[in-house]
Amino acid sequence: MPFELPRRHEDLRERAVKLAESVRDRAGAADAGTGLDPALRAALRESGLAGLTVPAAYGGVDETVDPLAVTVVREALMAVSGHLDSMFAMQGIGGYALAAGGDDDVRREWLPRIAALDAIAALALTEPGVGSDLRAVTTRVAERDGELAVTGVKSWITNAGAADVYTVLCREGDGHSLVLVPAATGGVRVESGPDIIAPHVLGTVRFEDARVPADHRIGAPGQAFPLVLGTLATFRVSVAGAAVGLAQAALDEAVRHTTGREQFGTTLSRLGPIPQMLGTSWTELESARLLTYAAASRAAADPLANLHWSSMAKVGATEMAGRVVDRCVQMMGRFGLVSGSAIERLYRDARPMRIYEGGNEVLTGQLAKTLTRSSTGR
């Protein structure tokens, strides 16, 4: 696998860095809020980077969504703003199934708007009683009089309330189906979500006999999970990219502090355990970056065949980010505890990443099954 990014991806990362720096002054307020920030949305729209989340046939940039491109962009955005990173990523996560299996007229209606950030997308999978075990969802869809009627409750949904359209996982008969439900549909009601340690747009979506045309079913009836798996296979590795960007930003903060502050006649970076903490953090960060780029390159070639690589990168990078940012707070001492500081934001944002997009323990369990199947020939 390549140890250096292709020139195109370096250029994309530079564009993303420029975008992130252009909103740095606004990022703190946006990250602390629970609504979609209009200034960050306008900046992301102007950059054109949201087009990376949608295929070119429907207004996007590449013929198919490129996981490596999405990953390097998320690395740059997350270093400055979790809100900006989430806004970018969710356009792809919320729209991928539609692009892969939707009715062509419906795709032409929604995907160009998602690519241009004129419409906000969301993926509604989890429920109050359902997290990782998605086959246990209770939201149902039934076909009535040529329409699809959706009834149920989805919780912990990113972009709830801000989204213009939801891709909803439902039971249909003995199987599971995905249904595209515009937010303006009658019977759709949104409630704000809980306050969490890393604030973002989050809420509960209630579907009360919400009716959409039959062509809003995505894919064949009862065949949702290949599309859900395709979404995960394409975007999971990008979580690792975001974790690498977060850890890099935290280490940069620690380096600035420890090289700029003197104690006992020398800089902190030369005192006690600080050199070992800096060196260990840098080593772990660059190791995770290499794994992330290699996994994203494999995912770009064949997302489903390389899902185990994406899972390894996600687990490795998010665990690394937690360790690195914790060390950085420690190296900064009391200055690492200041509310509203960059390091505080990074510390809070690091923790949920080990839970989002598949809890790390769930993923390592799946990796163990893959490893033992390949070892035993089963």
Side-chain angles (χ1 to χ4, degrees), residues 64-68 96 229-237 295-311:
T64 59
V65 175
D66 176 2
L68 182 57
Y96 181 84
L229 190 62
T231 303
L232 295 175
T234 301
F235 289 96
R236 177 174 287 162
V237 71
S297 297
R298 290 174 182 265
D302 190 334
L304 285 171
N306 292 291
L307 181 56
H308 58 294
W309 280 96
S310 295
S311 295

Side-chain angles (χ1 to χ4, degrees), residues 217-280:
R217 183 191 285 109
I218 301 174
Q223 299 299 312
F225 281 104
L227 291 167
V228 173
L229 190 62
T231 303
L232 295 175
T234 301
F235 289 96
R236 177 174 287 162
V237 71
S238 73
V239 180
V244 167
L246 183 152
Q248 182 68 69
L251 186 56
D252 290 346
E253 289 289 313
V255 168
R256 276 193 290 270
H257 180 80
T258 59
T259 57
R261 183 169 173 79
E262 290 192 3
Q263 295 284 288
F264 304 104
T266 188
T267 63
L268 288 179
S269 61
R270 296 291 183 265
L271 280 177
I274 300 297
Q276 286 73 32
M277 296 169 77
L278 288 169
T280 299

Side-chain angles (χ1 to χ4, degrees), residues 368-378:
K369 290 178 182 178
T370 301
L371 175 66
T372 52
R373 275 199 304 269
S374 62
S375 296
T376 60
R378 290 198 296 272

Side-chain angles (χ1 to χ4, degrees), residues 13 75 79 241-256 281-282 285-286 289 320-321 324-325 328 346:
R13 185 166 62 176
E75 179 185 349
V244 167
L246 183 152
Q248 182 68 69
L251 186 56
D252 290 346
E253 289 289 313
V255 168
R256 276 193 290 270
S281 295
W282 191 21
L285 170 59
E286 294 301 341
R289 197 193 310 271
M320 173 279 300
V324 167
V325 74
C328 291
L346 296 165

Side-chain angles (χ1 to χ4, degrees), residues 21-366:
E21 288 300 326
S22 75
V23 300
R24 185 179 286 276
D25 290 346
R26 176 65 188 167
D31 284 12
T34 56
L36 209 66
D37 186 90
L40 268 64
R41 180 178 183 175
L44 180 57
R45 179 192 287 118
E46 174 99 15
S47 75
L49 289 171
L52 293 168
T53 65
V54 171
Y58 301 99
V61 173
D62 297 314
E63 183 178 350
T64 59
V65 175
D66 176 2
L68 182 57
V70 174
T71 295
V72 298
V73 169
R74 292 195 65 182
E75 179 185 349
L77 300 186
M78 188 65 182
V80 174
S81 170
H83 185 80
L84 185 61
D85 169 67
S86 177
M87 193 187 307
F88 168 76
M90 285 307 303
Q91 293 301 90
I93 294 169
Y96 181 84
L98 175 62
D103 175 86
D104 207 44
D105 287 339
V106 180
R107 286 190 285 196
R108 287 198 172 92
E109 177 184 359
W110 283 104
L111 290 174
R113 296 174 61 195
I114 291 171
L117 220 71
D118 292 333
I120 298 297
L123 179 63
L125 300 180
T126 55
E127 298 180 357
V130 177
S132 298
D133 184 14
L134 292 176
R135 293 187 183 276
V137 297
T138 60
T139 299
R140 291 192 171 271
V141 60
E143 190 161 354
R144 298 175 189 156
D145 303 321
E147 294 181 314
L148 301 175
V150 177
T151 300
V153 180
K154 296 293 183 179
S155 62
W156 290 80
I157 304 305
T158 299
N159 282 350
D164 297 288
V165 65
Y166 298 92
T167 297
V168 186
L169 178 64
C170 311
R171 284 184 177 270
E172 184 171 19
D174 294 330
H176 298 78
S177 296
L178 287 173
V179 181
L180 192 76
V181 182
T185 302
V188 176
R189 184 159 55 90
V190 178
E191 302 167 0
S192 60
D195 293 331
I196 61 175
I197 61 174
H200 68 279
V201 185
L202 188 72
T204 296
V205 188
R206 297 184 181 274
F207 301 93
E208 299 167 352
D209 195 36
R211 299 199 174 206
V212 296
D215 63 5
H216 280 47
R217 183 191 285 109
I218 301 174
Q223 299 299 312
F225 281 104
L227 291 167
V228 173
L229 190 62
T231 303
L232 295 175
T234 301
F235 289 96
R236 177 174 287 162
V237 71
S238 73
V239 180
V244 167
L246 183 152
Q248 182 68 69
L251 186 56
D252 290 346
E253 289 289 313
V255 168
R256 276 193 290 270
H257 180 80
T258 59
T259 57
R261 183 169 173 79
E262 290 192 3
Q263 295 284 288
F264 304 104
T266 188
T267 63
L268 288 179
S269 61
R270 296 291 183 265
L271 280 177
I274 300 297
Q276 286 73 32
M277 296 169 77
L278 288 169
T280 299
S281 295
W282 191 21
T283 300
E284 291 187 352
L285 170 59
E286 294 301 341
S287 298
R289 197 193 310 271
L290 288 174
L291 174 59
T292 296
Y293 289 174
S297 297
R298 290 174 182 265
D302 190 334
L304 285 171
N306 292 291
L307 181 56
H308 58 294
W309 280 96
S310 295
S311 295
M312 283 189 279
K314 189 270 181 181
V315 171
T318 58
E319 294 287 344
M320 173 279 300
R323 292 191 301 271
V324 167
V325 74
D326 187 72
R327 283 192 207 108
C328 291
V329 169
Q330 194 72 12
M331 286 186 278
M332 293 175 69
R334 64 185 184 271
F335 299 98
L337 306 177
V338 177
S339 179
S341 65
I343 196 66
E344 186 223 9
R345 192 272 294 181
L346 296 165
Y347 186 79
R348 286 188 287 102
D349 279 352
R351 187 58 185 86
M353 298 183 83
R354 291 155 58 191
I355 296 171
Y356 295 154
E357 300 288 336
N360 284 1
E361 292 74 19
V362 174
L363 298 187
T364 51
Q366 293 170 351

